[in-house]
């Protein structure tokens, strides 16, 4: 189906149709106790109570509230309303000569009540205990011989819905999240439905905002106003109201791709209802985003995020909801068939449905990938007047080409890389000349690399990428010494050296006495730890940069003593420029940046049972501490290299001033 019909989704929908379904609603805390009055109001005298075991305390309470009005009870409701179950319940209903239905439970119990009402025309009172929203829709999905058939009829609408917040207060977190996202899906798809109208829009946006507000609170252990954590509102009441409003959206506007996907995955592949909604919704939204820009912007606002699909994915993941179809038990080999079933019939959806597009969507959902933010997919909310060509389908084509990568991590990384590269090109309207310049730059960067020169690492360092990766990998254990980048001058296998030695090889400079300790978990001294050190000379050069030097010099491998201690002599390190005669230097010059590193001493420390620590100690008061060209300086690594005169710790004769540095390294235990 073409996009145009739906792009008229202006904020003020100028003319519209709205059909309200009749329903009497009692909302609040403790409203279940009014069920007897409602039965009598409807002229009922003999109630068939439909209720399951999962809410047994509420069932007991309801039975005693109903008293002599209760004629019979049936507790066999099942997901997707199997016709055999309905027949069985019908037998109980007839035998009890029931004249009123009361249903207490989730969408399955509601479904059974609706199925019975369709066959008997009895009045219904429904008390929902989940957030499925079925109680306010004229829709009934029944399964017979493994096929799910959906009917829409006013005859299945209940006369009264009693929303009692207390009934869902004990709903476990997992069910709460999936059920709430099931409701959210109704609200989301209503906003880009062909039947969308301002009334439905308001209900949908309210439902989305309440859900986004409530879920994190409930996941954080907020049990309601009494727990005092929610600033005076009750997150359970929020979710129940959202369920009512979202159900009203479902009853008042046609749904699109998302509901179709869930219908197929539930009906043909047996996946669980609410969990499937939870996994699919962010991906269905990402698929539809290019053709429903305004709806997505409004959803993002209601969720309180920048981008609706990825923001919803983050919300679900943060509250522990399911994010992958694989975890729900779907076989990867089923994806192409599922995509074909979904695309087989045409039905209203803002964006055209293609088998490959749907398969790609399903594959992302199967792997549990976070949808790329719309800006990265080339989906720009710039309105129809924009002259910018739309590259989103090209990006998707490239991304789809990775669908069969056997390693999911490889697939995730290359997919994300392509999204970011395409978005970079689009956002900056990259010219062909600029593209060519970048290719030349990267070519020269590679060509200048040799055994002793690593321009690509230098590029990564000067763009801060090395420090970001370092941070991600090494800064997760509080109390451990911060790491710093390896840098381009580490050489494998430095010479084994005795403690107390001087590693300066007689090079000129201010003598430096280093006295450090290496501790592990619970501050236990790590004896026998291997400590590699390397540093620049007083002119700022490493031995590998000085071909005339008879090295290795100013680099060594030590072992700590039983107390985890290491002492040695070298010289005070100096600030130095990174090699700036190549493409990286040209890049720094082009942006007006200096090439200098703050003076520092490198350490690489390894000990069994601990994570290897690669770090640097920076000379307090040294130059460039606040503008280190590789962004390696961390506050905790700036250390006093104190000036000393007179006798030295090991009795070595030093003429004039010398320096000393003391430090304690704390290694993180190796969790793996
Ligand atoms: P459900 O009714 O099957 O309940 C899920 C599970 O939660 C069950 O094990 C149930 O016993 C348990 N449960 C329910 N309330 C509980 C509570 N308060 N505390 C602890 N456990 C509780 O599932 P659902 O997600 O509520 O509904 C799904 C069904 O509803 C599906 O069949 C779906 O097709 C249908 N549905 C229909 C419509 C419609 O408009 N026709 C809309 C949404 C859902």
């Amino acid at each position: 189906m073409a996009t145009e019909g739906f792009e008229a989704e202006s904020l003020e929908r100028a003319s519209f149709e709205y059909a309200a379904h009749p329903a009497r609603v009692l909302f609040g805390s403790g409203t279940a106790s009014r069920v007897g009055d409602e039965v009598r109001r409807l002229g009922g005298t003999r109630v068939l109570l439909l209720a399951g075991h999962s809410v047994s305390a509420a069932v007991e309470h309801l039975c005693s509230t109903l008293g002599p009005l209760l004629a019979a009870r049936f507790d066999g409701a099942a997901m997707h309303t199997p016709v055999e179950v309905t027949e069985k319940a019908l037998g109980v209903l007839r035998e009890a000569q029931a004249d009123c239905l009361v249903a207490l439970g989730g969408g399955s119990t509601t479904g059974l009540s609706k199925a019975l009402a369709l066959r008997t025309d009895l009045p219904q009172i429904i008390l929902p205990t989940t957030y499925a929203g079925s109680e306010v829709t004229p829709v009934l999905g029944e399964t017979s011989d493994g096929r799910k058939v959906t009917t829409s009829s006013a005859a299945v609408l209940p006369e009264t819905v009693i929303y009692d917040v207390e009934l869902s207060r004990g709903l476990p977190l997992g069910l709460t999240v999936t059920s709430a996202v099931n409701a959210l899906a109704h609200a989301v798809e209503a906003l880009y439905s062909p039947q969308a109208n301002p009334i439905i829009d308001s209900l949908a946006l309210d439902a989305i905002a309440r859900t986004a507000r409530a879920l994190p609170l409930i996941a954080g252990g907020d049990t309601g106003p009494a727990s005092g954590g929610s600033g005076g509102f009750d997150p359970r009441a929020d979710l129940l109201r959202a369920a009512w409003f979202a159900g009203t959206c479902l009853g008042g506007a046609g749904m699109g791709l998302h509901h179709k996907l869930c219908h197929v995955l539930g009906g043909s592949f047996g996946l669980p209802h609410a969990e499937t909604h939870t996994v699919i919704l962010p991906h269905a939204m990402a698929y539809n985003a290019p053709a429903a820009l305004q709806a997505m912007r409004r959803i993002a606002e209601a969720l309180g995020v920048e981008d609706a699909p990825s923001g919803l994915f983050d919300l679900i993941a943060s509250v522990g909801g399911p994010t992958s179809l694989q975890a729900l038990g779907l076989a990867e080999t089923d994806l192409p068939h599922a995509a074909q079933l979904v695309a087989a019939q045409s039905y209203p959806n803002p964006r055209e449905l293609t088998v490959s597009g749907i398969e790609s969507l399903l594959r992302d959902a199967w792997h549990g990938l976070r949808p790329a933010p719309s800006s990265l997919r080339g989906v720009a909310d710039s309105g129809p007047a924009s002259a910018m060509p739309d590259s989103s389908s090209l990006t998707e084509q490239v991304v789809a080409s990775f669908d069969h990568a056997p390693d999911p991590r490889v697939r995730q990384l290359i997919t994300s890389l392509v999204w970011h590269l395409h978005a970079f090109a689009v956002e900056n309207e990259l010219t062909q000349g600029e593209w060519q310049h970048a290719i030349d730059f990267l070519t020269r960067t590679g060509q200048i690399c040799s055994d002793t020169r690593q321009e690509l690492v230098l590029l990564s360092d000067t763009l801060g990428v090395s420090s970001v990766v370092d941070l991600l990998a090494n800064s997760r254990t509080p109390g451990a010494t911060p790491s710093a980048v390896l840098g381009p001058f580490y050489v494998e296998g430095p010479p084994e050296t005795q403690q107390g030695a001087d590693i300066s090889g007689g090079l000129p400079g201010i003598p430096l006495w280093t006295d450090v300790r290496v501790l592990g978990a619970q501050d236990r001294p790590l004896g026998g730890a291997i400590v590699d050190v390397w540093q620049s000379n007083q002119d700022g050069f490493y031995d590998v940069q000085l071909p005339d030097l008879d090295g290795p010099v100013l680099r060594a491998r030590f072992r700590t003593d039983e107390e985890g201690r290491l002492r040695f002599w070298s010289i005070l390190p100096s600030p130095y420029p990174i090699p700036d005669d190549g493409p990286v230097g040209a890049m720094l010059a082009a942006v007006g940046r200096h090439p200098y590193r703050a003076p520092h001493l490198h350490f690489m420390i390894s000990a069994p049972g601990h994570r290897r620590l690669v770090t640097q100690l920076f000379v307090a008061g040294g130059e460039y501490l606040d503008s280190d060209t590789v962004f390696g300086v961390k506050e905790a690594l700036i250390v006093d290299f104190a000036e000393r005169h007179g006798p030295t710790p090991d009795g070595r004769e030093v003429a004039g001033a010398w320096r000393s540095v003391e430090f304690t390294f704390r290694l993180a235990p190796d969790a793996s």
Side-chain angles (χ1 to χ4, degrees):
M1 169 146 315
T3 305
E4 302 82 60
F6 303 101
E7 263 311 294
E9 42 162 334
S10 75
L11 288 183
E12 292 301 326
R13 302 185 195 276
S15 64
F16 56 87
E17 284 179 29
Y18 174 65
H21 297 296
R24 179 177 150 79
V25 171
L26 307 183
F27 191 99
S29 178
T31 43
S33 58
R34 291 161 66 185
V35 68
D37 292 344
E38 283 305 303
V39 172
R40 283 184 282 275
R41 211 183 61 80
L42 294 169
T45 56
R46 297 182 62 75
V47 166
L48 170 62
L49 174 62
L50 308 170
H53 292 299
S54 55
V55 282
S56 48
V59 176
E60 303 258 304
H61 179 247
L62 208 64
C63 288
S64 69
T65 307
L66 285 168
L69 289 170
L70 183 63
R73 203 186 134 188
F74 183 85
D75 68 3
M79 191 80 83
H80 305 308
T81 329
V83 169
E84 317 81 81
V85 174
T86 305
E87 296 294 338
K88 231 162 125 188
L90 209 50
V92 177
L93 181 153
R94 292 208 169 109
E95 200 179 313
Q97 297 179 344
D99 57 11
C100 185
L101 294 162
V102 173
L104 172 75
S108 299
T109 308
T110 303
L112 175 60
S113 179
K114 286 165 137 183
L116 291 173
L118 186 67
R119 287 161 176 79
T120 61
D121 207 23
L122 289 187
Q124 309 172 71
I125 300 167
I126 294 188
L127 298 96
T129 63
T130 68
Y131 308 117
S134 171
E135 61 283 348
V136 285
T137 82
V139 181
L140 170 64
E142 295 183 281
T143 38
S144 172
D145 299 327
R147 270 191 66 234
K148 187 166 178 178
V149 179
T150 303
T151 329
S152 187
S153 162
V156 304
L157 282 166
E159 276 65 14
T160 303
V161 179
I162 300 182
Y163 286 112
D164 185 340
V165 181
E166 302 313 318
L167 295 176
S168 55
R169 201 170 297 285
L171 192 64
L173 178 62
L175 282 171
T176 299
V177 171
T178 55
S179 190
V181 179
N182 182 188
L184 204 66
H186 313 329
V188 163
E189 292 230 294
L191 284 164
Y192 52 66
S193 166
Q195 289 83 33
N197 62 65
I199 316 297
I200 292 288
D201 288 359
S202 308
L203 294 174
L205 294 170
D206 190 282
I208 294 167
R210 282 180 194 278
T211 306
R213 175 169 82 165
L215 279 181
L217 290 172
I218 293 172
D222 192 328
T223 51
S227 71
S230 44
F233 58 85
D234 180 351
R236 286 288 175 185
D238 261 348
L239 286 190
L240 198 59
R241 187 108 69 101
W244 167 18
F245 289 179
T248 308
C249 293
L250 174 64
M255 298 287 113
L257 170 66
H258 169 80
H259 280 76
K260 177 71 177 176
L261 278 163
C262 295
H263 188 90
V264 165
L265 292 171
S268 304
F269 298 92
L271 294 199
H273 180 82
E275 288 91 331
T276 307
H277 272 271
T278 308
V279 173
I280 290 292
L281 187 58
H283 297 279
M285 286 163 66
Y287 184 91
N288 278 336
L293 296 173
Q294 288 192 15
M296 288 304 151
R297 189 171 44 70
R298 299 173 89 188
I299 294 166
E301 256 169 44
L303 287 172
V305 297
E306 278 289 307
D307 171 70
S310 57
L312 177 61
F313 181 93
D314 294 344
L315 172 65
I316 292 167
S318 73
V319 294
T323 51
S324 102
L325 290 178
Q326 183 180 19
L328 299 190
L330 185 70
E332 193 176 10
T333 45
D334 284 334
L335 297 179
H337 182 42
Q340 268 158 4
L341 289 176
V342 172
Q345 293 161 2
S346 87
Y347 50 90
N349 187 63
R351 184 165 170 211
E352 190 182 355
L353 302 174
T354 61
V355 177
S356 65
I358 294 169
E359 193 181 329
S360 183
L361 175 170
L362 284 171
R363 220 166 270 286
D364 285 352
W366 192 84
H367 285 289
L369 298 185
R370 178 182 191 258
S374 302
S375 57
L376 293 184
R377 289 174 176 265
V379 178
D381 190 357
S382 48
S386 166
M388 185 81 148
D390 182 4
S391 63
S392 59
S393 56
L394 174 65
T395 303
E396 278 175 17
Q397 210 183 332
V398 180
V399 165
S401 73
F402 309 130
D403 275 356
H404 300 286
D407 184 331
R409 180 68 179 161
V410 169
R411 178 169 184 264
Q412 178 175 356
L413 292 179
I414 194 160
T415 298
S416 176
L417 182 69
V418 164
W419 275 330
H420 283 82
L421 284 175
H422 286 215
F424 170 81
V426 170
E427 276 168 26
N428 296 290
E429 298 192 37
L430 201 67
T431 67
Q432 289 196 307
E434 288 161 344
W435 174 84
Q436 187 60 55
H437 186 83
I439 297 291
D440 292 345
F441 174 81
L442 290 172
T443 307
R444 283 182 282 116
T445 305
Q447 282 169 340
I448 205 172
C449 288
S450 69
D451 287 350
T452 52
R453 177 157 188 169
Q454 234 311 350
E455 193 79 357
L456 285 161
V457 172
L458 212 54
L459 179 59
S460 162
D461 291 351
T462 49
L463 295 179
V465 180
S466 311
S467 286
V468 170
V469 175
D470 170 56
L471 209 62
L472 291 173
N474 298 313
S475 298
R476 294 176 195 249
T477 312
T481 301
S483 59
V485 292
L486 179 69
F489 298 117
Y490 177 70
V491 179
E492 288 288 345
E496 287 271 358
T497 308
Q498 290 299 314
Q499 285 228 16
D502 183 352
I503 63 169
S504 67
L507 290 177
I510 300 172
L512 171 68
W513 173 251
T514 299
D515 183 349
V516 295
R517 283 194 85 195
V518 180
L519 304 180
Q522 282 96 43
D523 273 359
R524 195 165 44 82
L526 293 178
I530 296 174
V531 184
D532 290 354
V533 296
W534 66 107
Q535 66 166 94
S536 65
N537 68 9
Q538 75 165 3
D539 299 323
F541 292 107
Y542 287 76
D543 55 358
V544 288
Q545 295 174 288
L546 302 167
D548 298 339
L549 197 77
D550 195 13
V553 181
L554 289 172
R555 64 178 70 241
R557 169 164 293 173
F558 294 105
R559 282 167 207 274
T560 55
D561 66 16
E562 293 109 67
E563 292 175 344
R565 223 166 152 187
L566 165 64
R567 282 160 284 188
F568 65 93
W569 282 101
S570 66
I571 52 175
L572 187 68
S574 306
Y576 63 85
I578 56 161
D580 61 349
D581 56 343
V584 171
M587 181 270 287
L588 293 178
V591 296
R593 262 173 60 181
H594 71 72
Y596 283 92
R597 292 227 52 204
H600 60 274
L601 212 54
H602 287 273
F603 290 85
M604 180 192 284
I605 308 175
S606 316
H610 292 79
R611 290 177 64 96
R612 190 181 72 170
L613 174 66
V614 177
T615 193
Q616 304 172 16
L617 296 183
F618 292 88
V619 180
E623 278 182 278
Y624 309 114
L625 283 172
D626 55 359
S627 64
D628 184 59
T629 201
V630 307
F631 308 96
V633 179
K634 291 173 183 163
E635 200 58 38
L637 299 175
I638 301 176
V639 189
D640 191 17
F641 283 58
E643 186 170 309
R644 312 256 181 220
H645 298 269
T648 58
D650 65 347
R652 174 183 168 177
E653 292 286 329
V654 174
W658 51 282
R659 299 281 190 115
S660 79
V661 60
E662 292 178 11
F663 194 77
T664 300
F665 295 101
R666 288 188 168 77
L667 268 56
D670 186 357
S672 66

